[in-house]
Amino acid sequence: MRHMSLAMLVLGTLSVAGSTDASAQGKKSDVTGFTADYTDIGPVVGLGGIGSAGLSLGGRFEKAIKALPDLGNGVLAIQISADYYKYSNSISSSDYSFSYIPIGATLNYHIHIDDHHFDPFVGLGLGYLIVSSSFNGTGYSTGSGIYFIGRAGLRYFVSNSMALYADAGTGA
């Protein structure tokens, strides 16, 4: 099970996201991809390997803020996300549980490619992790705090209003 959790962590976070593109023109079947007018909001189902928490639920919002013609025609965007995951276990006769709520913001650079169905990106940001635990044993401490986020990902546009999204990296 641990190997499967690690494999899922590498695959990253998967979601089906609703998206809007204010510049969408032409036939309905045309996909315009990630443009400087793009706004995206969607649910997140995360797969990971923290303790025995293999599944997280959350949401993500991303807004393109600037076209970067001098940087390979890429697009700069800001993304805000929040997730929730929890796991429980027991050691000897002590039961314990942990819950995590990472809230993060990243600046993402969306790499321009000619096939508008694909949207590769990289991002850097900061987050705040809220941790709570029911275990207060000797030699154990837990705390909330600020963390760095680094990610690389890919969005695949099924249509102008729906995309599949996956990313992997550090942080939320």
Side-chain angles (χ1 to χ4, degrees), residues 43-59:
V44 172
V45 176
L47 306 170
I50 296 186
S52 57
L55 182 67
S56 70
L57 299 175

Side-chain angles (χ1 to χ4, degrees), residues 79-94:
Q79 180 176 331
I80 299 169
S81 62
D83 296 295
Y84 172 80
Y85 51 98
K86 180 178 183 170
Y87 72 92
S88 301
N89 207 342
S90 62
I91 297 174
S92 300
S93 62
S94 298

Side-chain angles (χ1 to χ4, degrees), residues 60-72:
R60 178 183 40 73
F61 172 79
E62 186 171 17
K63 173 72 176 143
I65 54 176
K66 185 175 184 174
L68 300 171
D70 293 337
L71 288 174

Side-chain angles (χ1 to χ4, degrees), residues 3-14:
H3 294 291
M4 184 172 194
S5 293
L6 290 174
M8 293 303 174
L9 179 62
V10 171
L11 290 176
T13 304
L14 300 176

